[in-house]
Amino acid sequence: LHECLLCEPKDEPELRVEGDSGAPPRLYAPCCTRGECAQPGCLAARLTLWRACKTEHAESGALVRYRKYAKMPRTRGDGTEYFEVEFVYVEESPKAMTQTMLSAVETYLEHRRAHLYAVKQRELCIEKLKRAGPLAQLAASLGKTEAEAIDALRSCEHPKHLELTDHDIIIFTDFAARVKYENASSTRTSAPSALRSCSTRPPTGT
């Protein structure tokens, strides 16, 4: 699907992590997956041709059976009704199915690109976490105590906050990265000292 609808992916050497081998990761450009690329063989032009196809969008009395996500009526134990989104079989006209497929293609390509980019960023974060120095080292560079360093990491209004890097903020406050690394470690004590000094603030919004 990607090869048929998008320009060639580009090398992303800055996303390479220690476990990668051979060529650097290759990702499709955001302008391509969002339908903003003007190249004749890319998504925007392809979708324009698809929408203009009279055969695909012709009215027909025949029905096509396929699966898609749809709101299905359900009943609770107390008798009240509600809707739940489920992946179910439906019967629709070829035109309706084509419109569903068009919408799905547009959404999927950008979603997959963003997902793969986020996965590589997370891998980079975990790799840096393994190599990071202890919190005491960061605190010493700021001329602060470890508690004051944590305050600087958490508050953008702290006078020392601008001396921190994005890497510092992620390593010492990103709870998700911390938990993922702990789960991958064979023992708790084998984790680097930077990890053991991370903030233990619980995640919010989950």
Side-chain angles (χ1 to χ4, degrees):
L1 180 63
H2 300 82
E3 294 177 358
C4 296
L5 297 177
L6 301 172
C7 297
E8 286 291 318
K10 299 179 179 180
D11 290 345
E12 301 287 352
E14 71 277 6
L15 296 179
R16 184 196 292 272
V17 295
E18 187 175 342
D20 289 338
S21 59
R26 291 171 61 82
L27 297 179
Y28 291 97
C31 65
C32 293
T33 58
R34 294 170 184 166
E36 300 169 354
C37 177
Q39 294 298 319
C42 202
L43 181 63
R46 300 284 190 182
L47 292 181
T48 298
L49 291 174
W50 193 356
R51 292 190 181 97
C53 179
K54 295 181 179 180
T55 301
E56 292 284 0
H57 295 277
E59 296 290 349
S60 172
L63 296 178
V64 179
R65 187 170 186 264
Y66 69 105
R67 296 179 74 185
K68 74 173 188 179
Y69 286 100
K71 288 185 177 181
M72 304 299 294
R74 295 290 180 259
T75 304
R76 299 185 178 91
D78 60 3
T80 58
E81 294 185 351
Y82 69 101
F83 287 91
E84 191 161 316
V85 177
E86 299 178 6
F87 193 49
V88 296
Y89 282 103
V90 296
E91 289 188 350
E92 295 180 336
S93 68
K95 181 178 180 179
M97 185 194 73
T98 297
Q99 292 172 341
T100 298
M101 293 300 102
L102 272 168
S103 176
V105 166
E106 290 179 286
T107 304
Y108 168 73
L109 292 173
E110 170 57 13
H111 173 79
R112 186 173 187 274
R113 181 206 64 80
H115 168 72
L116 292 177
Y117 182 81
V119 167
K120 298 307 296 184
Q121 286 289 345
R122 176 61 64 190
E123 290 177 357
L124 284 173
C125 179
I126 297 301
E127 185 175 84
K128 290 178 179 179
L129 178 59
K130 295 176 182 178
R131 299 177 179 177
L135 179 61
Q137 181 178 323
L138 176 65
S141 69
L142 297 174
K144 299 291 183 179
T145 66
E146 293 185 17
E148 291 171 331
I150 288 294
D151 289 339
L153 287 163
R154 291 179 174 175
S155 173
C156 61
E157 298 178 356
H158 194 283
K160 288 291 184 177
H161 188 77
L162 295 179
E163 297 181 27
L164 301 167
T165 66
D166 290 344
H167 168 256
D168 293 330
I169 296 171
I170 291 171
I171 292 303
F172 292 107
T173 65
D174 187 347
F175 187 85
R178 178 176 182 271
V179 170
K180 183 171 182 178
Y181 183 74
E182 285 183 342
N183 291 341
S185 299
S186 57
T187 63
R188 180 66 181 85
T189 55
S190 65
S193 55
L195 182 62
R196 294 194 293 273
S197 300
C198 286
S199 165
T200 56
R201 179 179 57 180
T204 59
T206 56

